[in-house]
Amino acid sequence: MKLDGSWFTEAAPEEGIALSLKGAHRLHAEQTPYQNIEIYETDTFGTLMVIDGCVMVTDRDNFIYHEMLAHPVLYSHPAPRRVLIIGGGDCGTLREVLRHAGVQSVVQAELDERVTRLAEEYFPALCEANHDPRAQLSFCDGIDLVEDAADESLDIIIIDSTDPVGPAAGLFGEAFYRQCRRALGEAGVLVQQSESPFLYERVICDLHRALRTAGFADTRTLTFPQPTYPSGWWSATLAKKEGRLNSFRRSDAANQPFATRYYSAAIHETAFVLPPFLREALAFSR
Amino acid sequence: MKLDGSWFTEAAPEEGIALSLKGAHRLHAEQTPYQNIEIYETDTFGTLMVIDGCVMVTDRDNFIYHEMLAHPVLYSHPAPRRVLIIGGGDCGTLREVLRHAGVQSVVQAELDERVTRLAEEYFPALCEANHDPRAQLSFCDGIDLVEDAADESLDIIIIDSTDPVGPAAGLFGEAFYRQCRRALGEAGVLVQQSESPFLYERVICDLHRALRTAGFADTRTLTFPQPTYPSGWWSATLAKKEGRLNSFRRSDAANQPFATRYYSAAIHETAFVLPPFLREALAFSR
């Protein structure tokens, strides 16, 4: 069938796949110094934020992405206190991080202040922790912020970026990861959103290589469903400064004092199990 | 963006979501007594079969669905020899079942012979086991075939059906499952493709209820990514005639004498781990 004008469509023409959401009632559109941002009201996925034509967040399915970006990395560190989020302007990851009572400070370094201001207006639920005294919203280039960070001054770095083209390309490079590693404490762990394991296997392979070359001792990819991202299947890649990524605070995760809808201790364990085709592509030497 | 005429689109308007594949070069179209079948050549997903407007199978991603429909149920039975596939006319599930050397006979009961004839022409790789002497292609209504089956004459029933509307609606009902249970041996296991866990949670809940009411002792749902099905995330639900579904032939699965690209013993275990939102919806009493 052909879709009429009441659908919003994100196409990845080089991948030959497109996703459409019904109810393309556009509430807002603006060109910022960095990118084009649009807000839509959809029929069945609630409010939708689009950046440069790509779905960033919808009310209905963002919980999976935000929970899977925040909780696995936090439970992979013995006692995370100092957290840096790079990107993440919709503030959904920040909200999940702040659910951890042991976290003492979270800096969110978003390049484009307009993403956050629009999230505050159109996605108030994601921004409900923005005024937590532990949160600091910083509007700057995360690369500069990491370069200026003191050695071993962070426990966790979460790179909640857009795709590895345009403004976010530098966030996928070895030089940046080397600075991240320096800024992390000995038990430090980094996580990077790492695209679709089905469509962009190559991005994930390159990412592992860049992280290892930058000195991280271990790297592992987890996957999760994400219905409104291309292919409906997404990934995040963790990297540990020293030691292995083969354990986490399972008991803490199983007894987490807050509700999650996708994450659980059991999901944590299973999300890292990759199917043979992906394991082979990554040529893990485990 | 708007898609031009070179895309094939499957829309689920009531769910407000649509998927499009580029390269809508139509190779074939026909109306059979049961349904409308189309074959397309796409740019990046290979050949595509569409039934009544819904994506059935593409070259590129069918391996996940077929492996996950066949191998978990077969490894959940101690010694499966007699297998019935209902639907499955593209023959991809049949091919996977026949990889198991212990299987002695597989009847495939597909209502619409044209599905299989077109698969033989356009998806030869899926049909490469059709001439295995253990395979019997039967073109009939699976419901009749199960009613006529002797008590305890089957080890495995795989219901590889279209959506629970139209010709396949009866395959999701208690009366049919009761007949399936009667036809299964004591260690018998059934599996039913059970739609998107994200979009059709209700279908899965109803399915568990119907299977339990029909007398199955245990039911469990597994999930897997399926990029060209609505939401990109799909499920299959297993039901065991007697006893629990909490174990499988792990050692056999870990040493399987054939290659798989998605299934593995580790994936088998993890696929049954459901996120909290789904576990709560299913109100599992485990």
Side-chain angles (χ1 to χ4, degrees), chain B residues 213-254:
Chain B
T213 310
F216 282 93
D218 199 7
T219 54
R220 286 185 81 181
T221 292
L222 60 81
T223 76
F224 50 89
Q226 194 61 33
T228 62
Y229 283 1
S231 86
W233 190 27
W234 215 249
S235 72
T237 299
L238 277 71
K240 197 166 160 64
K241 183 166 179 171
E242 306 287 355
R244 295 291 299 276
L245 269 169
N246 51 5
S247 65
F248 71 113
R249 288 181 290 125
R250 200 193 191 289
S251 164
D252 289 354

Side-chain angles (χ1 to χ4, degrees), chain B residues 110-174:
Chain B
E110 165 61 51
L111 188 61
D112 191 347
E113 181 170 354
R114 291 301 300 154
V115 175
T116 299
R117 297 304 166 221
L118 289 169
E120 287 169 339
E121 186 173 350
Y122 292 103
F123 295 88
L126 297 183
C127 296
E128 65 188 22
N130 287 12
H131 297 292
D132 187 303
R134 299 171 293 163
Q136 183 193 327
L137 303 189
S138 183
F139 299 103
C140 64
D141 190 331
I143 294 179
D144 298 338
L145 196 144
V146 171
E147 275 179 12
D148 293 344
D151 291 2
E152 309 205 354
S153 59
L154 294 166
D155 298 314
I156 301 285
I157 299 176
I158 298 177
I159 308 165
D160 180 2
S161 67
T162 49
D163 301 336
V165 290
L171 297 176
F172 285 76
E174 184 198 324

